[in-house]
Amino acid sequence: MNILIVEDNKELAAEVYDFLCNAGYVCKITHTCEDALEEVASNDYDAMLLDLGLPDGDGFEVLQAVRKTKSKMAVIVLTARGELDDRINGLHLGADDYLTKPFALTELSARLFAVIRRMHGFTVNSLSIHGFLLQLQDYKVSYNEVPLSLTKKEFDIFQYLVLNKNRVITRLQLTEHIWGDILEVNSDSNFIDVHVRNLRKKLDKHRSIDWFETVRNVGYRISE
Amino acid sequence: MNILIVEDNKELAAEVYDFLCNAGYVCKITHTCEDALEEVASNDYDAMLLDLGLPDGDGFEVLQAVRKTKSKMAVIVLTARGELDDRINGLHLGADDYLTKPFALTELSARLFAVIRRMHGFTVNSLSIHGFLLQLQDYKVSYNEVPLSLTKKEFDIFQYLVLNKNRVITRLQLTEHIWGDILEVNSDSNFIDVHVRNLRKKLDKHRSIDWFETVRNVGYRISE
DNA sequence: CTTCAACAATCAAAATATTCATAGATACAG
DNA sequence: CTGTATCTATGAATATTTTGATTGTTGAAG
């Protein structure tokens, strides 16, 4: 999974870079339109994160150029700019999604995943960590080729934590992500804890536990 | 729940009118900008469905005028027009949602519901049919004041069928609406049937069945 | 070093959802 | 009319999710 990050703010670019690398993507940063166009021409990226306000031109130019090559690359526009007009133009020109700065990295991760998935069917179809392989298509997990059976919720939680590995994910984030809008902030329950517990129990048989931490007062984290 | 339909195509207007009336809304049709403005000034509507191409002016004028009165009315623009530019302007001026013609009436129903809900909290908070009262906030159902306990899925199915009463809803529609994107077209199962069955059993104690039909080869329908 | 309060883990029970196998109903061909 | 294929209903088994009560942990205040 190759991602091109086109963003002149180096701090932000680096932050996104780290995050996406951690999430298992192979990333490359460019800071200008020119470099971006060159990268796109010479390499085969699955997705591009495109800032609009670049020093040597408007990001839209890059977007247009990319679309002309009828490449299957997904493009997510990252914009701090004035809002809707840009959005429209962008969608018109073929951006697949938008994120307005500032954005949460987990949000970026989710959008990126969705967009790539939409793009070429199922390119991101598995995640692996510490010997476990998650096949996202069919909700299967295995540990060194040996399948183990997780329930859907357990799988969802595992996947989300792996997708955001090295980051602490709060119970609220998990709830929102996995249960969607369903429940009216019913967070007086401990069902997350219970699912996590059951998940851990199943993973534990296959030696794990130390990289699947509970962060007190915050949530859970799976580290690489 | 009062809805103003502003649409010069009388056939379409009538169709939408019928549908929304069936869905429990109180509706009124106007065919021109002028009438629309008059209606809006003299009555208190919860939402307006606004066609853009009106004979005596652009629907946007109506939208602008409405927004100047800082009314809490939700506005959904119905447009057959050229697309994005209109959309932008519309969202800019304060439309709450858009539908491009042609659209499915069930889609309209869903958007309308969402928009009104967003607007003033929970205006559409209950549905009633044949003595049953569905309270959408807290997933409660009662039959002539006597509460009965449906599970979440049962409630969802009941609600969706009632929301689309007098129309046949296919199993696929139900699946997509209630399970969302969750399952990868897993329609080899009969879980809808089972839930419908259990739902019926619970409703049946309180005399019903005849207005809750199975439409062979298509799906289910609840009629008024 | 205790004690307390907040947080998390655990277990078992209850509620819910889903699957599966089978029976019933309906339409259509012959 | 009868047989057959297709669709739907049903009941029971199984799996999953959620709740609730209880116990263990941790960190801060005294």
Side-chain angles (χ1 to χ4, degrees), chain B residues 159-170:
Chain B
Q159 169 181 347
Y160 193 62
L161 289 174
V162 171
L163 212 50
N164 294 287
K165 60 189 170 189
N166 302 322
R167 272 162 210 283
V168 185
I169 298 298
T170 67

Side-chain angles (χ1 to χ4, degrees), chain A residues 190 197 200 214 217 220:
Chain A
N190 69 335
R197 200 241 162 189
R200 272 175 166 157
T214 301
N217 292 318
Y220 298 97

Side-chain angles (χ1 to χ4, degrees), chain B residues 100-125:
Chain B
T100 307
K101 300 182 205 172
F103 51 83
L105 288 169
T106 51
E107 179 69 14
L108 172 60
S109 173
R111 300 274 187 110
L112 190 54
F113 185 77
V115 147
I116 290 177
R117 185 184 186 123
R118 233 183 291 144
M119 191 101 327
H120 22 196
F122 266 110
T123 333
V124 178
N125 53 11

Side-chain angles (χ1 to χ4, degrees), chain B residues 1-20:
Chain B
M1 216 40 18
N2 295 297
I3 313 287
L4 180 63
I5 303 167
V6 187
E7 166 65 64
D8 62 320
N9 176 332
K10 296 186 183 175
E11 206 173 321
L12 176 59
E15 199 182 338
V16 171
Y17 181 88
D18 288 348
F19 178 73
L20 291 181

